[in-house]
Structures are given as structure tokens and as C-alpha cells.
Amino acid sequence: MKLLRWHSDPFLSMLLSLLLFCSLINLSNPLMMIGRIHVMAANSNEGQGGEGGGGIGSTKVEVNSTGEKAASATRNNNRREYSRSKPVNYSTLEEKEKRQLEWMVRNTGNLLGPESEEAGSMSERKALLTFDLMRAWSRRAARKESKAPHVVERLLQKLLKETDVGNECLKINTAVYNIVLDSWANSREEGSAERAESILLEMDRMHQQGNMNVRPNEGSYNAVIKAYVKNGGRLIAPPKVESLVSRMERSDVVSPNRRSYNLLLYCLANSSLENAASRAEDALHRMLKLYLETGSPTQKPDINSYNQVLGAWARGKTKGYERRMQSIYEELLKLPKEMDIKPNTNTFKYVHQNE
């Protein structure tokens, strides 16, 4: 990929300008990101949604992170105490939001524009700045008409170009790719699910070719599953999500967790497929079987798992649906006490509305 130009690349210039404009006209939104994004120490999985992803950053950051973590914890405690005693000043929040966006646009332009450093000379500080920017843009991906995922991908390409020429100041691993996947998972853009899946396949290819730093984990798969649930459509999403979960079930290195299955159950319960309810019930039983085999708390069904299947039967109203709902409800009541899964108001709503 050619080095991007801030002024000579019309797409990048237009993209960053559009993002700046769209965000500034929505500053009244109370759900906003405040202040500069903090650097995440290497080998941290925070925000990546899975195990084994590794952290983001360089070896030097890894070595020097202990004292910084303690100082950061103290600062965070002070901020929490301050926030409890001070009322929220929304004009200040808007100003912080504006400064944050200006910082993102300015530094992204510097990294990708004509004044950027020659490939292979990126410093550790610039590498950490790039990771910060990727996370910051990713968190804006859910905004209406946001093009943030494209910016996140271009920043990843910048990092890949550095590693291609042997720059040892940075480490590209699963956690870095998961930032890109999360941005597409949160995007409203048409084709975002397909783009996320193509990145997942590229990660798998890299791992198969011997790159041990990039291996799809539960967070990687769940991001793609979420993308299909959100943007795949009621006909396309169910078979795609089923295929992804099935691939995880067959894998020796990754296994579906509660989130994987619950996204699948939600997808099936809200689909327009004629046999969606029976497929959801089958997925629930596979989930329960896996938990009983592994005992892993991350794979244990919850009441939402059962409610999604009850809802699928209730919405479909196919032949014999009342009998199937009664069977699932009785199965729920007979679960071992140590699983601590009890009916709630939604459970009773589904059961009693069909009496």
C-alpha cells in the first residue's frame, strides 16, 4: 500500500474533514469520549474481548509498565473522588470532546501525510501514538455515517509497513487486529460485516503461515459475529453466524464462549428463517454440552440464553411450538442448582403468553 498523503490523497483529506465536521455538530451527545486515550501496557487484554490476544505496544513499554500502572491507578482513584464531588459541566465536556477530536485529526494527518517519517524509522513514541489513535477512532465507529473504521485500517497499514522493513520498535499482534475488527463490528456502514470477516480470514492465514503473534481468539470471532448480527440482515446473518460458531467449535485453538452463543441465539430468534427456533434450540444444547464438558464459567449458559430460545419459538409459532416451549422451560427448572440459572420476568412472559 502506498504511503498516504495528507494533502495529495483526496480521500484521506475528505475523510478526516468529514469526521471532524460530523463530530463537532454532535457535541451535545452526553455519551462522549473525554481526554486523551491512555496507553495500554503490553500483554494487557483490556477491551479486546478474549483470552490469548496479548497486549499492544513495544518491548520497552512492557518492561517499564509496572511503576506506571501504580501511578495510573492513583490518578484514576483521584479522578473518581473528584468526579463524585463535582457536578458535571457539559460545556467543559464539549470542549474536551472538541480538543480530543482535533488531536486525533491532527496526529492522524501527521502520521499518514507528506511530512510522515520514512518507513522503518518510526520511534517507540510514534508507535504508541498510533495505537492510541487506532483505539480512539475505533470508539467513534458506531456514530452515524462514521468512516472511522477506514482510518483505523489505514493506521494499521502504516504499522504493517514499519514491520515489513524490519522496525523492531513495535509489535503487531492479535490485540491490534482486534481493534480493527471492533471498529467494523460497531460500524453502521454497509458491507462492514463482510470486511470484518475478510480481516479475520487474513489473521488466520498469517497464523497458518507461522506468525505466532497474530492468532484469532474469541474476541476476534465475536467481533465478526457481532458485525453480522448488527448489519448482516435477517436472511444472511443467521447462516454466517452459525458458520462462525461452528468453526470455533471445531477449532483446536479457540472455543465459543457465552457471548458467541448468545449472539447466535439472538440472531436466530430475530431472523425470518422458518426453522430458526429449532436451530436456536440445537445451539443452546450444544452450548450446554460444551459447558458440562469443560466446566468453564465463560461457556456457561445464562437465563438470556434460554429466553432467546423461548422467544424464537414464541415468535415463529410453528407446529408444536407450545410443546417445545414447555419442554425448554422444564429443562431450565431441572438444571443443577450450582449453575444458578433461574427464570426471570421475560421467561414467564414467554411461557404464560402462550397458555
Side-chain angles (χ1 to χ4, degrees):
M1 185 176 181
K2 291 183 178 180
L3 188 62
L4 303 170
R5 303 295 180 186
W6 170 236
H7 296 293
S8 61
D9 185 341
F11 178 78
L12 178 62
S13 178
M14 178 186 70
L15 188 59
L16 293 176
S17 300
L18 178 62
L19 284 164
L20 176 62
F21 173 75
C22 290
S23 298
L24 290 179
I25 64 175
N26 286 295
L27 290 178
S28 59
N29 186 346
L31 298 176
M32 41 184 75
M33 185 166 49
I34 303 170
R36 179 171 177 176
I37 308 301
H38 293 292
V39 174
M40 182 168 62
N43 291 332
S44 167
N45 290 326
E46 180 182 348
Q48 303 308 321
E51 298 177 356
I56 308 173
S58 68
T59 306
K60 291 183 179 179
V61 175
E62 223 172 73
V63 173
N64 297 327
S65 62
T66 306
E68 186 63 30
K69 284 181 180 178
S72 177
T74 302
R75 289 194 297 270
N76 288 337
N77 287 334
N78 291 338
R79 290 191 189 106
R80 280 193 291 270
E81 289 299 324
Y82 180 78
S83 65
R84 291 193 191 104
S85 61
K86 295 286 289 183
V88 176
N89 185 334
Y90 285 101
S91 63
T92 302
L93 292 179
E94 290 177 4
E95 181 60 31
K96 286 185 177 180
E97 166 77 357
K98 182 179 178 180
R99 289 201 305 268
Q100 167 75 9
L101 185 61
E102 289 173 346
W103 171 82
M104 291 163 59
V105 171
R106 180 179 67 255
N107 284 287
T108 301
N110 290 339
L111 282 170
L112 302 179
E115 303 302 322
S116 60
E117 299 170 339
E118 183 181 352
S121 60
M122 179 181 281
S123 65
E124 177 186 311
R125 185 183 66 82
K126 283 288 183 67
L128 290 173
L129 172 63
T130 308
F131 296 137
D132 273 356
L133 288 168
M134 289 179 69
R135 282 191 291 269
W137 285 116
S138 181
R139 292 173 186 176
R140 306 180 79 90
R143 300 190 178 205
K144 188 176 181 181
E145 299 182 358
S146 173
K147 299 298 181 184
H150 296 278
V151 180
V152 177
E153 273 209 57
R154 290 191 172 211
L155 289 168
L156 173 62
Q157 291 298 325
K158 174 75 172 178
L159 295 175
L160 291 174
K161 190 164 188 144
E162 291 292 317
T163 59
D164 287 345
V165 296
N167 190 331
E168 297 181 355
C169 267
L170 62 153
K171 178 174 64 177
I172 307 294
N173 58 17
T174 301
V176 179
Y177 275 88
N178 281 0
I179 296 175
V180 184
L181 289 174
D182 285 338
S183 70
W184 284 114
N186 291 318
S187 174
R188 304 183 188 184
E189 185 174 325
E190 184 178 353
S192 57
E194 290 79 6
R195 182 58 192 149
E197 186 176 16
S198 69
I199 295 170
L200 179 68
L201 292 174
E202 175 65 13
M203 292 173 67
D204 190 55
R205 183 191 65 78
M206 292 170 67
H207 180 66
Q208 294 295 330
Q209 292 180 352
N211 188 336
M212 295 297 105
N213 291 323
V214 179
R215 187 192 75 183
N217 61 14
E218 287 86 352
S220 312
Y221 276 92
N222 287 346
V224 181
I225 290 171
K226 178 184 175 181
Y228 272 112
V229 170
K230 186 173 182 179
N231 291 320
R234 293 191 172 190
L235 287 175
I236 295 175
K240 281 287 189 179
V241 174
E242 283 181 313
S243 175
L244 288 163
V245 172
S246 177
R247 195 188 311 171
M248 295 175 78
E249 290 172 333
R250 298 191 306 269
S251 173
D252 295 327
V253 295
V254 67
S255 184
N257 56 23
R258 183 188 301 114
R259 179 162 175 76
S260 314
Y261 279 114
N262 280 357
L263 283 169
L264 169 58
L265 295 174
Y266 174 86
C267 184
L268 289 168
N270 291 278
S271 76
S272 55
L273 299 178
E274 187 175 340
N275 61 344
S278 61
R279 287 157 74 165
E281 185 174 348
D282 179 64
L284 174 63
H285 289 152
R286 297 200 314 272
M287 180 185 189
L288 181 61
K289 180 176 182 291
L290 181 62
Y291 167 69
L292 294 176
E293 289 174 352
T294 65
S296 172
T298 64
Q299 295 172 323
K300 186 183 78 170
D302 58 13
I303 190 57
N304 182 50
S305 312
Y306 280 86
N307 286 345
Q308 291 296 345
V309 180
L310 288 170
W313 281 112
R315 294 184 191 98
K317 296 191 184 316
T318 53
K319 185 178 180 180
Y321 78 96
E322 293 175 318
R323 178 173 54 82
R324 295 309 316 146
M325 291 181 68
Q326 184 64 33
S327 175
I328 295 165
Y329 180 64
E330 291 175 359
E331 176 186 312
L332 169 61
L333 297 179
K334 293 177 182 178
L335 291 174
K337 287 185 178 180
E338 55 268 24
M339 290 186 67
D340 193 29
I341 303 177
K342 300 176 182 178
N344 61 16
T345 53
N346 285 331
T347 313
F348 295 124
K349 180 186 73 173
Y350 288 130
V351 172
H352 293 309
Q353 75 180 14
N354 291 288
E355 289 182 346

